[in-house]
Amino acid sequence: MGDNAPAMPRRLLFWGFRPAEEVQGLGTLERQVLDEVWRLGRASVRDVLVAVDHAVAYTTAMTVMDRLYKKGVLERERVGRAYVYSAAASSDQVQSSLVMGLLQRLLGAGADAASPVLSHLVDTVSARDRELLDELDRLVREKRRELDRREPK
């Protein structure tokens, strides 16, 4: 390739980068089940099975719900011979936990590593919505005031 050839953009591969539902330790079917439990409030395996996918076997749905219970994502109560499940946390709480965990991993390496992450966040927010960027600015100013009040004088 000569010096005059246009530069090809480099493709960066991030090995081990997974979709959000897998990052929080939930597979696709687990996420579908959890979404249904959130929608229904309380649900048996049969309730979720009807809503999720008729192609999934009852025992598969039961195993998924048991796995979510063991992960602490669902709570359950025995009603007759079956369990009725409910979510241990709201969708907002789960999303907040995911974001906090991800940010802690991304920002935990110090200021030099954090700068590109923060820059990308600002670029992404501003590209989508100026009002959201204004809200981000307001939150930063509010947090600074809070920290200033806490600092000993």
Side-chain angles (χ1 to χ4, degrees):
M1 217 188 247
D3 289 334
N4 294 335
M8 295 293 292
R10 280 185 39 193
R11 184 168 179 215
L12 299 176
L13 300 176
F14 296 97
W15 300 108
F17 188 81
R18 300 175 302 185
E21 62 271 5
E22 292 179 29
V23 170
Q24 60 184 334
L26 300 181
T28 303
L29 186 54
E30 287 177 317
R31 184 57 194 235
Q32 288 174 343
V33 166
L34 181 57
D35 286 342
E36 271 314 303
V37 172
W38 277 326
R39 188 181 71 76
L40 296 169
R42 289 173 43 94
S44 67
V45 172
R46 196 159 307 285
D47 295 333
V48 169
L49 188 62
V50 168
V52 172
D53 186 354
H54 297 285
V56 174
Y58 181 90
T59 53
T60 301
M62 184 173 64
T63 300
V64 167
M65 292 179 84
D66 184 61
R67 192 178 318 135
L68 289 170
Y69 168 74
K70 288 176 180 171
K71 287 181 178 182
V73 176
L74 293 180
E75 296 174 341
R76 70 183 180 193
E77 170 188 346
R78 189 175 283 283
V79 177
R81 293 178 48 197
Y83 286 112
V84 174
Y85 293 84
S86 58
S90 71
S91 176
D92 287 345
Q93 290 169 321
V94 170
Q95 291 301 323
S96 177
S97 176
L98 169 65
V99 169
M100 289 302 293
L102 185 59
L103 285 174
Q104 286 173 350
R105 284 193 303 277
L106 290 173
L107 302 177
D112 289 341
S115 184
V117 173
L118 295 175
S119 177
H120 186 68
L121 173 68
V122 170
D123 288 346
T124 302
V125 166
S126 63
R128 291 177 186 247
D129 189 342
R130 183 170 175 86
E131 286 180 23
L132 194 54
L133 186 62
D134 291 341
E135 176 63 9
L136 180 60
D137 181 50
R138 184 191 70 75
L139 290 170
V140 168
R141 283 184 276 120
E142 184 178 296
K143 182 55 78 173
R144 283 187 180 184
R145 282 192 299 272
E146 179 185 318
L147 292 173
D148 287 345
R149 285 191 300 265
R150 282 194 220 159
E151 283 184 7
K153 305 238 174 176

